[in-house]
Amino acid sequence: MMPDIETFWRDLNLIRTINPLVLNITNYVVTNNTANALLAISASPIMSFAKDEVEELVGLSAALVINVGTLNAGDIEVMAAAWAAANAKGIPVVFDPVGAGASRLRTDTSLSMLGKYSPSVIRGNASEIMTLAGEAGQSKGVDSSQSAGSAAGIAQALALVNSCVVCVSGEEDMVTDGNEGYRVCGGHEIMPRITGLGCTASAICAAFAAVNKNCLEATVHGMIAMAIAGALAAKKSDGPGSFQMHLYDALYSLTETDVERFMEIYPL
Amino acid sequence: MMPDIETFWRDLNLIRTINPLVLNITNYVVTNNTANALLAISASPIMSFAKDEVEELVGLSAALVINVGTLNAGDIEVMAAAWAAANAKGIPVVFDPVGAGASRLRTDTSLSMLGKYSPSVIRGNASEIMTLAGEAGQSKGVDSSQSAGSAAGIAQALALVNSCVVCVSGEEDMVTDGNEGYRVCGGHEIMPRITGLGCTASAICAAFAAVNKNCLEATVHGMIAMAIAGALAAKKSDGPGSFQMHLYDALYSLTETDVERFMEIYPL
Amino acid sequence: MMPDIETFWRDLNLIRTINPLVLNITNYVVTNNTANALLAISASPIMSFAKDEVEELVGLSAALVINVGTLNAGDIEVMAAAWAAANAKGIPVVFDPVGAGASRLRTDTSLSMLGKYSPSVIRGNASEIMTLAGEAGQSKGVDSSQSAGSAAGIAQALALVNSCVVCVSGEEDMVTDGNEGYRVCGGHEIMPRITGLGCTASAICAAFAAVNKNCLEATVHGMIAMAIAGALAAKKSDGPGSFQMHLYDALYSLTETDVERFMEIYPL
């Protein structure tokens, strides 16, 4: 069944009621943005970089985000410990392979963790997803050189191999579990010009996965929230600085009317 | 004597004149916000994560903030070295036990440091303060599950045990040295929806403690600055993104008229 | 030849066309701002804190920023590896000695790296530049206690010793290669009240150095971009919060008319 206004609105209201705790082992560039986006949508974020506490924090959390945007040896251990604990506890894990393809460290660490632990959702840009699927992704640093559309078949294959949902974000977002899939449209072309909006999307998907066991639906809902909030923010913005500010405001005050006006989703 | 407009205004003007250097050993989520809030109120922030330099930096500083929001082994050593140096030099230390109660690492590290070093001020939410006092704080990650009011007696006891000022922030803020105490009202209900405003409050209290040896008064002044700036920012905001921006602007341009209109303080 | 509107506009358009990858080994306070400023001007930022990947990332990059604002032992190794690789590959390196003079760690690390590796540009405030030149810089934490003008002769000497461009930023910015030099005016007095705008300036200079082998010209262009965007942002701002937001918007939408109206440059 295709996610729709009703399923989206139900899950958003669940987040707003339950305020699920989302644990983030993420990069140093986006800690603040990620926390603010999660708070804006009414989730409760916690960040950790300590191996000594992540198992315990996983035990309190409803979802986990693993983001490799500024890897170092210590953080890799923290990620592994958190991911293992999340798998053991059965809480959803959203994996964001920031910069996979840009360095062997990022590619190898991502592949190695995917070999050992199970993601619920992998969300990346086309270059990153192609890299994880073993294709030369031609990434340019952390920015994609590929369109999301060009990665469709590869995303489906990657989803099947990892028994998870794969989301390729771009001008249009593509979400698939390998069998069923959707395109989410909306947002705005300025979004790649604000750092960490991909990371933000991953965290928002985790908030939805925290309240919906159907990870395909949850991920679609997360990308819809970003697309609608992005479209609303763009209308009020004069550039990337004001866009970032309005995006938090839009995530915070998203109404059913906004969803009716701006939600755009198609079968793949 | 109850802090009043005159004492507040005197201290704010001292900060604006002296620009006291405030050293922050803080978490990775709020480094930027903390620095901007301190600059907005005319203090001069410096951040460090290096054991090799903190003693020296303490020697230059007028106040120290220790914040355990993203602990790791290295940072704990840095905090210990800085705190010991601050105690030796006699400069005020504001301790922010972010997430105490959420993990043993945060709880134990906080208690262990409080056992070894003397804080001038402990500022946290109700869950964190109750945890430090040995009560089950029922924290939810880094967000409180308790109201500030429910922690009043516990805060007084904690203040007496540590011979320091304790501030429990929440809908109303409570500040006590164990004997004398005040409630600071104001701010806005959106404030918990922006990450790191508690951390920001701790840093602002440190700026006031840098210019006023009476830590009870300084802490009340810091919380008043946050409450007034928060009330002003909320009037201009459409959500948490714009609130954050207006908060810096309000801290920057706080006038005597603002203080007259919005300052609300009561004996405990 | 004095940089002028034509050379500035040519380079800005190159950045907007090529989107050069700029690698940043920078401090934990400004990672987000730096990335956003680079994206706003159409460069493609990447941040790394991992020794294992920086050589490889340098191989993809068109410029490198080294910023010592929150040094620790691990990051010093990352910086050394990246800088060595950049020198070997011949890509420009902008060095930002944040807080040199405030601690021996920052001063010694800066001097030691300058002894081993070649910078293309050193950009700092007057206190930092005077410290690197062996003068007592009387720094106050990371804020300067000296005016840029007072550091003119010292900057020239430092440029000659290191065969690089030196930029002293302040109320007016001074850029020199030891022989030729320029003053860039503009910006706004509120700029020191926002954290990390010096770091932002260094990154923007790196974006210009990525498209212009003449580092003197590139650095002047970078400081012009900051000065014009700063002047535009100040016109729309009510304080440091709104200034920061408008600065990104201004960097993003800088027009030839803006440059004609606000560019102010003089020979030294």
Side-chain angles (χ1 to χ4, degrees):
Chain A
M1 289 248 304
M2 190 155 96
D4 57 19
I5 295 180
E6 207 175 320
T7 62
F8 174 80
W9 197 248
R10 179 201 64 208
D11 282 5
L12 181 58
N13 278 331
L14 275 172
I15 296 173
R16 288 179 173 172
T17 309
I18 297 173
N19 312 130
L21 189 66
V22 178
L23 173 61
N24 300 270
I25 323 285
T26 191
N27 71 69
Y28 301 164
V29 182
V30 303
T31 45
N32 194 268
N33 309 38
T34 304
N36 272 328
L38 285 168
L39 285 168
I41 207 163
S42 288
S44 180
I46 187 164
M47 310 275 149
S48 177
F49 299 95
K51 201 183 167 192
D52 287 347
E53 68 173 1
V54 284
E55 267 189 59
E56 204 178 346
L57 293 179
V58 166
L60 304 172
S61 300
L64 170 66
V65 177
I66 299 282
N67 175 310
V68 301
T70 52
L71 277 184
N72 60 46
D75 291 349
I76 294 173
E77 278 187 59
V78 179
M79 290 174 187
W83 201 335
N87 280 176
K89 193 198 163 200
I91 73 162
V93 178
V94 177
F95 177 57
D96 191 332
V98 180
S103 79
R104 276 186 299 272
L105 176 69
R106 292 171 193 234
T107 306
D108 294 352
T109 303
S110 296
L111 291 173
S112 157
M113 289 198 294
L114 285 174
K116 286 183 203 153
Y117 313 111
S118 301
S120 310
V121 182
I122 304 174
R123 196 219 56 81
N125 63 34
S127 293
E128 291 157 355
I129 296 300
M130 291 168 90
T131 297
L132 294 189
E135 305 277 328
Q138 300 175 265
S139 88
K140 179 175 182 183
V142 295
D143 298 322
S144 184
S145 59
Q146 304 290 325
S147 72
S150 63
I154 287 164
Q156 285 175 316
L158 186 67
L160 289 173
V161 167
N162 288 281
S163 306
C164 72
V165 171
V166 170
C167 171
V168 189
S169 57
E171 213 174 311
E172 289 183 9
D173 305 317
M174 201 182 39
V175 184
T176 177
D177 64 3
N179 300 304
E180 206 181 336
Y182 301 99
R183 288 185 300 128
V184 176
C185 302
H188 190 269
E189 60 180 15
I190 204 177
M191 292 175 81
R193 301 289 287 278
I194 293 98
T195 196
L197 288 196
C199 308
T200 298
S202 293
I204 294 294
C205 289
F208 279 93
V211 298
N212 185 344
K213 279 182 193 307
N214 181 336
C215 282
L216 179 62
E217 209 174 66
T219 306
V220 169
H221 290 166
M223 299 315 287
I224 287 172
M226 288 297 291
I228 298 175
L232 288 166
K235 285 184 186 300
K236 297 189 174 176
S237 303
D238 298 315
S242 42
F243 180 91
Q244 171 85 72
M245 178 187 82
H246 290 303
L247 183 74
Y248 297 130
D249 286 359
L251 285 170
Y252 175 76
S253 52
L254 219 58
T255 65
E256 211 160 352
T257 313
D258 296 332
V259 182
E260 277 160 18
R261 283 181 58 203
F262 289 105
M263 179 169 157
E264 239 189 292
I265 174 175
Y266 308 97
L268 203 58
Chain B
M1 288 248 306
M2 190 155 95
D4 58 18
I5 295 179
E6 207 175 321
T7 62
F8 174 80
W9 196 247
R10 178 200 64 207
D11 281 5
L12 180 58
N13 278 330
L14 274 172
I15 296 174
R16 288 179 172 171
T17 310
I18 297 172
N19 313 128
L21 189 65
V22 177
L23 174 61
N24 299 269
I25 323 286
T26 191
N27 71 69
Y28 300 165
V29 182
V30 303
T31 45
N32 195 268
N33 309 38
T34 304
N36 273 328
L38 285 169
L39 285 167
I41 207 162
S42 288
S44 180
I46 188 165
M47 310 275 149
S48 177
F49 300 94
K51 200 182 166 192
D52 289 348
E53 69 175 1
V54 283
E55 267 190 60
E56 203 178 344
L57 293 180
V58 166
L60 304 172
S61 300
L64 170 66
V65 177
I66 299 282
N67 176 311
V68 301
T70 53
L71 276 184
N72 62 45
D75 291 348
I76 293 173
E77 278 187 58
V78 179
M79 289 172 188
W83 201 335
N87 280 175
K89 194 198 162 199
I91 72 162
V93 178
V94 178
F95 177 58
D96 191 332
V98 180
S103 79
R104 277 185 299 273
L105 177 68
R106 292 172 194 232
T107 306
D108 294 352
T109 303
S110 295
L111 291 173
S112 156
M113 290 198 294
L114 285 175
K116 287 184 202 152
Y117 313 112
S118 301
S120 310
V121 181
I122 302 174
R123 197 218 56 81
N125 62 35
S127 292
E128 291 157 355
I129 296 300
M130 289 169 91
T131 298
L132 295 189
E135 305 278 327
Q138 299 173 266
S139 90
K140 179 173 181 183
V142 294
D143 298 322
S144 184
S145 59
Q146 304 291 326
S147 71
S150 64
I154 287 164
Q156 286 174 314
L158 187 67
L160 290 173
V161 167
N162 288 282
S163 307
C164 72
V165 171
V166 170
C167 171
V168 190
S169 57
E171 216 175 309
E172 289 184 7
D173 305 317
M174 201 185 37
V175 184
T176 177
D177 64 3
N179 299 304
E180 206 181 337
Y182 301 99
R183 288 184 302 126
V184 176
C185 302
H188 191 267
E189 60 181 14
I190 204 176
M191 293 175 82
R193 300 290 287 278
I194 293 98
T195 197
L197 288 196
C199 307
T200 298
S202 293
I204 295 294
C205 288
F208 279 92
V211 299
N212 185 345
K213 279 182 193 305
N214 180 337
C215 282
L216 178 63
E217 208 173 67
T219 305
V220 169
H221 290 167
M223 299 315 287
I224 287 172
M226 288 298 291
I228 299 175
L232 288 165
K235 286 185 185 299
K236 298 190 174 176
S237 302
D238 298 314
S242 42
F243 180 91
Q244 171 85 73
M245 178 188 82
H246 289 303
L247 183 73
Y248 296 131
D249 286 0
L251 284 171
Y252 175 75
S253 52
L254 219 58
T255 65
E256 210 160 351
T257 312
D258 297 332
V259 182
E260 278 160 18
R261 282 183 57 204
F262 290 105
M263 180 169 156
E264 241 190 288
I265 175 175
Y266 307 99
L268 202 59
Chain C
M1 289 247 306
M2 191 154 96
D4 58 19
I5 294 179
E6 206 174 321
T7 62
F8 174 81
W9 197 247
R10 180 200 63 207
D11 281 4
L12 179 59
N13 278 331
L14 275 172
I15 296 174
R16 288 179 173 172
T17 309
I18 298 172
N19 313 129
L21 190 65
V22 177
L23 174 61
N24 300 270
I25 323 286
T26 190
N27 71 70
Y28 301 164
V29 183
V30 302
T31 45
N32 194 267
N33 309 38
T34 304
N36 273 328
L38 285 168
L39 285 168
I41 207 163
S42 289
S44 180
I46 188 165
M47 310 275 149
S48 177
F49 300 93
K51 200 184 167 193
D52 287 347
E53 69 175 2
V54 284
E55 267 189 61
E56 204 177 345
L57 293 179
V58 165
L60 304 171
S61 301
L64 170 67
V65 177
I66 300 282
N67 175 311
V68 301
T70 53
L71 277 184
N72 61 46
D75 291 349
I76 294 173
E77 278 187 58
V78 180
M79 289 173 188
W83 200 336
N87 280 175
K89 194 199 164 200
I91 73 162
V93 178
V94 177
F95 177 58
D96 191 331
V98 180
S103 78
R104 276 185 300 272
L105 177 69
R106 294 172 193 232
T107 307
D108 293 352
T109 303
S110 296
L111 291 173
S112 157
M113 290 199 293
L114 285 176
K116 286 184 202 153
Y117 312 112
S118 300
S120 309
V121 181
I122 303 173
R123 195 219 57 80
N125 63 34
S127 292
E128 291 156 356
I129 296 300
M130 289 168 89
T131 297
L132 295 189
E135 305 278 327
Q138 298 174 267
S139 90
K140 177 172 181 183
V142 295
D143 298 321
S144 184
S145 58
Q146 303 291 325
S147 72
S150 64
I154 286 164
Q156 286 175 316
L158 187 68
L160 290 173
V161 167
N162 288 280
S163 307
C164 73
V165 170
V166 170
C167 170
V168 189
S169 58
E171 213 175 312
E172 290 184 6
D173 305 316
M174 201 184 38
V175 184
T176 176
D177 64 4
N179 299 305
E180 207 180 336
Y182 302 99
R183 289 184 301 128
V184 175
C185 302
H188 191 268
E189 59 180 15
I190 204 177
M191 293 175 81
R193 300 288 287 277
I194 294 99
T195 195
L197 288 195
C199 307
T200 299
S202 293
I204 294 293
C205 288
F208 278 93
V211 298
N212 185 345
K213 279 181 192 308
N214 180 337
C215 282
L216 178 62
E217 208 173 66
T219 306
V220 168
H221 290 167
M223 299 315 288
I224 287 172
M226 288 297 292
I228 298 175
L232 288 165
K235 284 184 186 300
K236 298 189 175 178
S237 303
D238 297 315
S242 43
F243 180 90
Q244 171 85 74
M245 178 187 82
H246 290 302
L247 183 73
Y248 296 132
D249 286 0
L251 284 170
Y252 175 75
S253 53
L254 219 58
T255 65
E256 210 160 353
T257 313
D258 296 332
V259 182
E260 277 160 18
R261 280 182 59 203
F262 289 105
M263 179 169 157
E264 239 190 291
I265 174 176
Y266 308 97
L268 203 57

